[in-house]
Amino acid sequence: MSKASNAELPRAVDPYRLAEQNTVLEGDIPLIGLPRFREVVFGFDDGAVCRVRLSFTMDSQRRRIVSGELQVPVDLECQRCMNPMRETLTSDFTLGLVTSDEQAQQLPKELEPFLTDDFSADLWSMCEDELLLVLPPFPLHERNACPAREDLEAYEPESEPAKPETPSGENPFSVLAGLKTK
Ligand SMILES: [Zn+2]
């Protein structure tokens, strides 16, 4: 993860023009630039970035589309032990650019609308929305990696507890099975 960082992803763009020109944008967004995301994660490395690849296209209906791939390493809070756990969040999304709710309703259902007031969009905020969508609601360490696993095992033992002996020492079900064959 100590790779030299890419260029920063441009923030304010005209997404319509980019779509008409079939543009691909690649770059990083520093996580300190994503205040809503920053607030909901446990933490991240100094200088951590979200890697972003966005491609702007027009489909056969001349709809303007932006598809994106995001990747970001962050620490989430394990909901069992409340310690940080490292996770790489990824997101793949396809959005249809619209300027009104009316247009948004006309999009086919495989396209989520991306509403922009005018011909400018805040790409950082758009990516931040997508990251918030892929955030796991209930992050948990792998069971064996979780410091709280011993507490947990006290409540749900993995090995079957010894069964109480039946008075006769026989399994009552085998008695029943024996009756049936008579
Ligand atoms: Zn844990």
Side-chain angles (χ1 to χ4, degrees):
M1 280 310 191
S2 55
K3 263 191 193 167
S5 59
N6 294 329
E8 200 166 86
L9 187 80
R11 181 162 200 163
V13 298
D14 174 351
Y16 292 88
R17 206 167 61 110
L18 295 180
E20 279 146 30
Q21 297 171 345
N22 267 311
T23 310
V24 174
L25 291 182
E26 281 184 303
D28 292 342
I29 304 176
L31 293 192
I32 50 168
L34 302 178
R36 289 176 293 144
F37 182 68
R38 212 174 63 183
E39 206 165 280
V40 294
V41 297
F42 191 94
F44 46 83
D45 296 341
D46 283 345
V49 297
C50 177
R51 297 247 149 126
V52 184
R53 183 177 199 279
L54 299 174
S55 75
F56 297 82
T57 52
M58 274 202 292
D59 70 6
S60 54
Q61 315 279 312
R62 297 186 61 76
R63 281 187 288 252
R64 275 65 165 178
I65 313 281
V66 52
S67 336
E69 291 165 40
L70 310 176
Q71 193 183 358
V72 59
V74 286
D75 287 328
L76 304 176
E77 185 183 60
C78 171
Q79 297 303 294
R80 190 188 289 137
C81 66
M82 304 300 155
N83 288 311
M85 53 181 280
R86 178 48 57 102
E87 206 50 27
T88 299
L89 299 179
T90 58
S91 170
D92 273 292
F93 57 90
T94 305
L95 307 174
L97 301 177
V98 294
T99 50
S100 66
D101 287 337
E102 217 170 57
Q103 273 187 12
Q105 279 158 20
Q106 287 162 6
L107 285 178
K109 60 177 181 299
E110 62 270 21
L111 287 177
E112 288 294 319
F114 176 42
L115 186 67
T116 57
D117 299 341
D118 46 32
F119 293 98
S120 107
D122 181 341
L123 295 183
W124 288 20
S125 173
M126 180 192 81
C127 290
E128 188 170 33
D129 286 342
E130 298 300 324
L131 286 178
L132 291 170
L133 286 174
V134 296
L135 213 55
F138 200 75
L140 289 175
H141 280 121
E142 291 288 327
R143 191 188 177 94
N144 290 334
C146 186
R149 71 181 180 282
E150 282 168 21
D151 301 344
L152 186 77
E153 277 159 10
Y155 291 105
E156 18 168 302
E158 263 182 35
S159 54
E160 288 281 294
K163 288 212 178 78
E165 294 279 316
T166 50
S168 67
E170 267 185 283
N171 179 334
F173 294 104
S174 64
V175 174
L176 283 176
L179 289 173
K180 270 187 183 169
T181 57
K182 279 184 185 160

